[in-house]
Amino acid sequence: MRKENIIKILLVIILLFIILIVAFWLKTLNTEIIENHSFYQYFFGKKVEYDGNFKLTRKNDITELEIKDKQIQLDSTPIYYKDIENQVIFPEDMAIVYPLSSGLMYRINRFSNMKLENETVYLKNKEQEKSLQNSFLFDGNDLYFFLENTKIEVNGSLYELSPLSYAIVRYGEGIEIYNKQQDSYSIIETQEDIYAKTADYTINMSIDSINYKDKDQLLIKKIEYLQNIEM
């Protein structure tokens, strides 16, 4: 066999090996299997519970939950552990926003877990964890997930939310609010701009902007353009 042919064969083998590695990596990135846990989500005020083993998969920009031979298409609505106190998993990529650091934004990959421990929220993976302070999450569309005590005033009523709560704001239509500590869900119609306020900054959730020290800044909506957060 000529030397040139041997080199070509070796190159083909190396290429196939690289393709297999990439395919395995993509499958790992786009699949999460969780065993023997109980979970719940809210959809338009209705609580939906899952029990047992389930698999999250990401295909063609769609996240699906597979449980007991059923497939459920998901959006960015957080999934809460029912049997682990104050822990949540995210079906979609989320942006984390640091208003006190000039509005810096990073990406948190889908299937990430967060847990509230001793009044601090931690981003967790299988080997590491990172504390998250003075920040909130944004799905690039309508959903805001709060990592600290936050107040929202709508139609003259004040809603005080605990960490791990969230709000979904549809401009000119209204807001959905989930309070994690109370496990309560509210749907309010309003055409007013809706603000979320902490002790240090304000979020205009109607136009997706933040205000800190009298400075306004629009949020980046293309989460795929953001750099991954460092653990």
Side-chain angles (χ1 to χ4, degrees), residues 58 87 95 133 136:
R58 180 76 173 174
Q87 185 161 323
Q133 298 175 331
F136 64 91

Side-chain angles (χ1 to χ4, degrees), residues 6-144:
I6 295 175
I7 292 173
K8 288 179 181 179
I9 292 172
L10 288 174
L11 288 174
V12 169
I13 293 173
I14 292 171
L15 180 60
L16 289 173
F17 182 70
I18 292 172
I19 291 172
L20 287 173
I21 291 175
V22 171
F24 178 79
W25 178 79
L26 288 174
K27 184 178 180 180
T28 301
L29 181 65
N30 291 314
T31 304
E32 182 74 13
I33 297 174
I34 304 176
E35 299 179 340
N36 299 320
H37 282 291
S38 300
F39 302 86
Y40 70 89
Q41 280 181 303
Y42 275 90
F43 292 104
F44 301 103
K46 181 180 179 181
K47 191 173 188 177
V48 179
E49 299 185 0
Y50 315 111
D51 292 295
N53 303 331
F54 76 69
K55 180 169 72 172
L56 293 170
T57 58
R58 180 76 173 174
K59 295 180 181 178
N60 301 320
D61 295 328
I62 295 173
T63 300
E64 287 187 339
L65 182 151
E66 183 179 327
I67 184 168
K68 297 178 180 178
D69 298 325
K70 294 182 180 179
Q71 291 186 331
I72 303 167
Q73 186 171 318
L74 301 177
D75 56 17
S76 59
T77 303
I79 303 173
Y80 292 86
Y81 287 76
K82 193 168 115 180
D83 57 347
I84 302 178
E85 188 176 5
N86 292 326
Q87 185 161 323
V88 60
I89 185 170
F90 295 92
E92 299 278 353
D93 292 347
M94 300 288 288
I96 183 165
V97 186
Y98 290 93
L100 308 191
S101 299
S102 303
L104 280 175
M105 297 177 66
Y106 298 95
R107 183 174 70 247
I108 291 177
N109 288 329
R110 55 188 169 273
F111 313 151
S112 293
N113 279 258
M114 287 187 184
K115 187 171 184 179
L116 177 65
E117 296 177 338
N118 299 320
E119 300 183 353
T120 300
V121 176
Y122 293 88
L123 175 64
K124 304 172 72 73
N125 61 29
K126 294 177 182 179
E127 299 177 353
Q128 298 173 300
E129 65 179 29
K130 178 184 180 70
S131 63
L132 304 174
Q133 298 175 331
N134 298 317
S135 56
F136 64 91
L137 304 189
F138 175 52
D139 75 343
N141 192 18
D142 300 318
L143 189 144
Y144 290 82

Side-chain angles (χ1 to χ4, degrees), residues 136 138 140-144 146 152-155 167-176 188-197 202-211 217-219 221:
F136 64 91
F138 175 52
N141 192 18
D142 300 318
L143 189 144
Y144 290 82
F146 306 112
I152 298 175
E153 187 171 354
V154 188
N155 296 340
I168 301 172
V169 176
R170 297 182 175 89
Y171 183 74
E173 298 179 15
I175 182 173
E176 300 176 34
I188 308 116
E189 293 183 0
T190 185
Q191 294 184 339
E192 300 175 354
D193 280 2
I194 303 172
Y195 298 87
K197 298 182 178 181
T202 299
I203 313 166
N204 185 331
M205 299 185 291
S206 296
I207 65 170
D208 304 321
S209 70
I210 53 175
N211 178 276
Q217 179 178 326
L218 291 174
L219 299 177
K221 296 187 177 183

